[in-house]
Amino acid sequence: MTTPWSYVLCGTPRTGSTFLCSLLTSTGVAGRPESYFREPDERAWATTFGLAVAADGVIDYRAFVAAARRAGSTTNGVFAARIMWGTMDLVTDRLRGIRNGAHDLDVLTEAFGPLRFVHLRRVDDVGQAVSWARAEQTGYWQQGDEASTEPAIDLGRVDELIDVIGAHNSAWDVWFEQNGVRPHRVTYEDLTAEPDHTVREILNHLDLVLPTDGGPESQHRKQADAINAEWVRRYRSAHR
């Protein structure tokens, strides 16, 4: 197999994707995966790329995609992007254009070249939902953010987010099946326990070799703490 032009890191929030993106970027050979196509961030990325925007978003979406591809590629030509389930339909619909009716994979391949996929999920959906609910409350999603309020347990919201997580994971599985995709699968639990091994397995899936001048590194760290653990305990106690 030749080196792929692109790959997509697929997931749902609070699965360690920011940590994984930074590890992959640090290798220098696996692209620079970011959420380039997340709708709330589109105007900020367009400004960074020097592209014109209108009230409803970028004026030329294909130019935006081309700029994202340049920004997200390492010198070996590998491009990477992170796409959460809620963004996939947006990306494929906006790329489809005159190819109306084409399979999603065909549309993505036309834009990004030959593609591979990495699917990141979390085995502990309660822990994931707790982390998601807490981030929503406080506004603290990743290292560098400023928390706007103190967290307060909301078991009802955790319940809702467990349903959302299940629906999005199922939707990814259906999408992979419909498009004939066999993703490389990674769990949050394996990633946080063995980040170096996890990255090496991903690079192997991509037919890439980690440079010999050092392993993957990240400034991001696992965020779960005693507050998360207590919320998880109380949720599970309430649902026995």
Side-chain angles (χ1 to χ4, degrees):
M1 298 290 290
T2 58
T3 299
W5 291 358
S6 307
Y7 70 95
V8 176
L9 178 60
C10 309
T12 56
R14 317 312 289 171
T15 52
S17 63
T18 298
F19 178 46
L20 180 55
C21 284
S22 63
L23 289 171
L24 290 166
T25 297
S26 76
T27 68
V29 298
R32 302 183 185 94
E34 296 282 354
S35 294
Y36 300 107
F37 309 109
R38 182 175 176 268
E39 191 169 23
D41 300 333
E42 184 177 290
R43 295 180 70 88
W45 280 115
T47 299
T48 299
F49 299 153
L51 299 176
V53 294
D56 59 347
V58 295
I59 295 173
D60 185 340
Y61 196 69
R62 287 187 178 270
F64 178 80
V65 169
R69 187 168 176 180
R70 289 191 294 272
S73 296
T74 37
T75 55
N76 59 350
V78 174
F79 167 73
R82 171 176 55 182
I83 297 182
M84 299 299 178
W85 174 250
T87 302
M88 180 56 87
D89 284 347
L90 171 70
V91 175
T92 54
D93 287 349
R94 295 183 72 177
L95 285 174
R96 186 162 276 109
I98 60 173
R99 297 198 67 196
N100 189 33
H103 285 297
D104 286 355
L105 184 58
D106 294 334
V107 173
L108 293 170
T109 300
E110 182 185 33
F112 302 120
L115 275 168
R116 295 186 189 179
F117 295 83
V118 176
H119 185 208
L120 177 62
R121 66 187 301 168
R122 192 162 173 168
V123 176
D124 178 12
D125 58 352
V126 176
Q128 182 180 353
V130 160
S131 178
W132 192 341
R134 181 178 176 181
E136 281 184 337
Q137 282 187 8
T138 64
Y140 189 95
W141 291 88
Q142 62 186 28
Q143 193 169 322
D145 290 344
E146 290 289 337
S148 59
T149 185
E150 289 296 316
I153 190 167
D154 183 346
L155 297 183
R157 182 57 179 155
V158 173
D159 234 355
E160 293 171 352
L161 288 172
I162 287 173
D163 289 341
V164 171
I165 291 163
H168 285 198
N169 283 334
S170 294
W172 273 125
D173 287 340
V174 170
W175 190 89
F176 294 139
E177 179 70 24
Q178 289 176 339
N179 287 276
V181 169
R182 296 181 63 184
H184 176 74
R185 299 191 183 273
V186 176
T187 68
Y188 166 90
E189 287 77 8
D190 286 344
L191 170 63
T192 54
E194 297 184 291
D196 187 88
H197 179 70
T198 298
V199 169
R200 290 175 186 274
E201 286 196 325
I202 292 173
L203 294 184
N204 184 60
H205 172 69
L206 301 173
D207 293 321
L208 297 171
V209 178
L210 185 69
T212 58
D213 56 353
E217 298 178 349
S218 173
Q219 74 275 22
H220 297 280
R221 294 293 180 264
K222 184 177 179 179
Q223 294 180 29
D225 57 16
I227 294 175
N228 292 60
E230 175 61 15
W231 285 23
V232 169
R233 186 195 66 77
R234 290 176 62 179
Y235 180 88
R236 289 184 169 140
S237 178
H239 288 76
R240 284 177 179 168

